[in-house]
Amino acid sequence: LFLAGLGFYNDESKMLENTHLNLSTGNAHIYTSKKGALVSYPCFIVGCGPSLDADLVHIKRLADRAIIISSGSALGPLLNAGITPDFQMEVENEGILPIMKHVAELHDITNICLVTSTTVEPEIVDYFKRIIYHFRPALSPYGIFSDSPKNTIPFHDPSVVNSSLGFALDQGFRNLYFFGCDMGTRDADHHHAKNSYHFADDAVLPDNDFCIPVPANFGGTTYTSVGLNWVKSNIEMAITEKGTGRTYTNCSDGAFLNRAIAKFAKSVSLPEQDSETFKIDFVKAVFEASPVMDNETFARLWDTEKITAATESLFEKLNDIFNNAAFQLDKEYLIEINKLLFFGKTPVDRGIATWVRGSLHMILLSAEFFSKRLIGTETELAFEEILREEILRSLDDMHERSIALIQKLD
């Protein structure tokens, strides 16, 4: 999971391009943290797990008494059940458009407020009137366009449900309810809510191997995957860190969440809210509290000359290190590499380093794995030279493609 969290060059390139296109409009609203806020009414965090099917009737019963945050593909089942969420959360840089197109063919989603990573597919703007962009601090656009924690959502990784929870906590909700946040299933064929895009004929399904047994929320055992177990662990970490003064109720018939109260959706009751317009008012306040990145600000941040210079400097330094590295005898070169990739002097330096560090670390970790098996053999020195050649070739490829993308976006 740590290795996957480092990212990949191709993925980072796409996310940088998407961010540039999304923020260059001159009217992109940028998320701004509301730490210290306090919201008295409840918040529903809705995922697209299999148990959502049975809980939709109860979410609808309570829909006018809580703020509803839809996570990713949960949007379809909610709207099909006559429930319009207040916020739609997205984090992925691809694969969102088919879901939105599928839902928009059946429902008007234009008035839902989209809260999404800056890296989302740019065509998404065609579906929503109000969009708030947030930055993910582990990605390359963060250093270039923000470098401020106030523009990020806490506890946002690795899935959209994590982002929904982080958004709710940052907004100041104290009573949070999970629906359809199963993070696993008892039946691998029932991997999502049935009334969702994931069961459409053209759906592209995530690669989940439900092979890890975990305690189920309402007793017994359910099964999660490596990725979904990561989601579960990070949700539990957020609940633990933000437990004081908050109540977490898990109505999902999926994995048990530590420190969350297990409660059947049918037994949830909520008081009526004093204001009939509290949902409209809250969404409006959140949107208006997200300042616009105007053209002048964008031009100042996307300084082609400065970004190009930082890119050239990084690859020049990396090439120098690898040209002189003694891979088998002296590992100090790794210290120098990590200084470049994790401790850049400027935000732009750090953004460019993030662009390449995931793939480069994958190469180095693979090299370490194989090199230890060749110590003392006749092929040890030959392997070192082959490794140097391949690393330099990979660096040249990333360097060339990086400069080409920067010029394309100029």
Side-chain angles (χ1 to χ4, degrees):
L1 295 180
F2 171 75
L3 299 184
L6 287 173
F8 307 91
Y9 176 80
N10 288 345
D11 205 31
E12 289 287 345
S13 297
K14 185 62 178 176
M15 291 190 284
L16 186 58
E17 182 174 8
N18 285 355
T19 295
H20 184 281
L21 294 171
N22 287 327
L23 302 188
S24 63
T25 61
N27 60 2
H29 285 255
I30 307 300
Y31 181 77
T32 302
S33 175
K34 291 180 64 176
K35 290 181 179 178
L38 176 62
V39 178
S40 59
Y41 30 83
C43 176
F44 290 177
I45 297 169
V46 184
C48 197
S51 71
L52 178 61
D53 294 324
D55 286 348
L56 287 169
V57 63
H58 303 293
I59 297 173
K60 186 174 183 178
R61 171 174 58 87
L62 301 165
D64 62 350
R65 303 184 181 191
I67 297 295
I68 300 175
I69 302 175
S70 166
S71 308
S73 56
L75 181 60
L78 285 170
L79 291 170
N80 291 339
I83 305 162
T84 301
D86 302 292
F87 295 96
Q88 171 65 17
M89 296 294 299
E90 296 291 354
V91 296
E92 299 298 339
N93 63 300
E94 61 182 5
I96 305 302
L97 281 177
I99 297 175
M100 291 304 143
K101 181 180 179 181
H102 177 79
V103 174
E105 288 174 351
L106 302 173
H107 306 280
D108 180 6
I109 62 175
T110 56
N111 290 319
I112 300 171
C113 183
L114 175 68
V115 182
T116 181
S117 168
T118 63
T119 61
V120 75
E121 293 155 299
E123 295 84 356
I124 204 80
V125 299
D126 296 335
Y127 294 96
F128 297 91
K129 294 178 182 177
R130 292 175 294 185
I131 302 176
I132 301 172
Y133 293 103
H134 68 89
F135 288 90
R136 297 168 67 187
L139 303 182
S140 52
Y142 175 69
I144 296 172
F145 289 104
S146 171
D147 201 48
S148 175
K150 71 179 182 180
N151 299 138
T152 69
I153 290 175
F155 312 109
H156 61 278
D157 276 338
S159 83
V160 66
V161 169
N162 299 91
S163 287
S164 293
L165 174 59
F167 175 70
L169 291 172
D170 210 38
Q171 291 301 310
F173 289 101
R174 293 301 192 265
N175 297 298
L176 301 101
Y177 294 78
F178 296 99
F179 297 91
C181 301
D182 296 10
M183 289 156 285
T185 182
R186 292 186 176 89
D187 178 1
D189 292 329
H190 191 189
H191 40 77
H192 287 84
K194 289 184 177 178
N195 199 8
S196 70
Y197 165 78
H198 298 284
F199 288 93
D201 293 337
D202 59 346
V204 178
L205 298 177
D207 184 18
N208 282 318
D209 181 9
F210 300 103
C211 60
I212 304 172
V214 293
N217 193 38
F218 299 122
T221 300
T222 191
Y223 295 86
T224 189
S225 65
V226 172
L228 291 174
N229 201 35
W230 186 11
V231 174
K232 173 180 177 293
S233 296
N234 282 12
I235 287 177
E236 291 175 330
M237 180 179 67
I239 292 174
T240 299
E241 186 170 332
K242 296 293 184 180
T244 304
R246 297 174 179 85
T247 301
Y248 300 86
T249 303
N250 186 8
C251 303
S252 312
D253 189 9
F256 174 78
L257 291 174
N258 289 325
R259 298 178 181 265
I261 301 167
K263 192 169 189 176
F264 289 111
K266 65 182 180 181
S267 64
V268 175
S269 62
L270 298 174
E272 292 185 7
Q273 299 300 326
D274 295 333
S275 171
E276 293 183 357
T277 62
F278 83 97
K279 292 163 75 71
I280 296 173
D281 295 340
F282 183 80
V283 173
K284 180 181 178 182
V286 173
F287 185 70
E288 292 181 349
S290 304
V292 171
M293 179 180 288
D294 57 27
N295 288 321
E296 182 179 351
T297 301
F298 178 84
R300 174 175 56 81
L301 294 170
W302 184 262
D303 184 329
T304 302
E305 184 176 339
K306 183 184 294 184
I307 293 169
T308 300
T311 304
E312 296 285 9
S313 176
L314 175 65
F315 280 102
E316 181 181 348
K317 292 173 182 176
L318 288 172
N319 271 278
D320 184 60
I321 292 172
F322 285 118
N323 267 310
N324 297 285
F327 296 102
Q328 295 293 78
L329 300 177
D330 187 354
K331 302 299 181 182
E332 285 195 12
Y333 80 94
L334 293 172
I335 297 175
E336 298 305 313
I337 292 294
N338 283 329
K339 285 180 181 178
L340 287 174
L341 298 183
F342 288 97
F343 302 100
K345 293 181 179 180
T346 70
V348 171
D349 288 339
R350 293 190 288 274
I352 299 302
T354 303
W355 191 355
V356 303
R357 74 181 182 195
S359 291
L360 185 53
H361 269 97
M362 292 289 183
I363 293 171
L364 294 176
L365 288 165
S366 298
E368 284 295 302
F369 176 83
F370 289 107
S371 67
K372 290 185 183 299
R373 283 148 180 77
L374 298 174
I375 295 175
T377 67
E378 295 179 356
T379 57
E380 183 176 7
L381 293 179
F383 173 80
E384 182 167 304
E385 289 311 308
I386 293 171
L387 175 60
R388 189 189 318 278
E389 180 182 335
E390 290 301 314
I391 289 177
L392 292 173
R393 183 189 60 78
S394 296
L395 284 177
D396 286 345
D397 178 60
M398 288 190 284
H399 183 189
E400 182 179 336
R401 291 166 62 191
S402 298
I403 295 299
L405 180 57
I406 294 169
Q407 292 174 345
K408 173 186 175 183
L409 297 177
D410 186 18

